Amino acid sequence: MEPMIRPQEIIDFCLAPLNLDTQTEAEREVRRRLEHVIKTFQLRAARPVAVDFSSMPSQVINEAAHGYE
């Protein structure tokens, strides 16, 4: 996987597992907020920041530890 720089590309990748209905106002608001956060961060960093999800360690949730068996 190539590193992602474009905010919309990062947002699409992150929201994909949620399978949100793209026709809702809530989904559009989530995208608008995330885009603002990413663009603000990139502006403060004074350059686009690439996100490489392929080098990210997996997150394993132990459901039994939280009582969701």
Side-chain angles (χ1 to χ4, degrees), residues 17-43:
L18 299 177
N19 198 26
L20 299 174
D21 180 358
T22 59
Q23 304 303 312
T24 65
E25 184 60 35
E27 195 269 352
R28 287 188 289 275
E29 181 65 13
V30 166
R31 286 182 175 279
R32 188 186 68 76
R33 290 179 184 198
L34 288 171
E35 185 172 6
H36 174 73
V37 168
I38 293 167
K39 285 182 175 181
T40 300
F41 179 77
Q42 289 179 334
L43 282 172

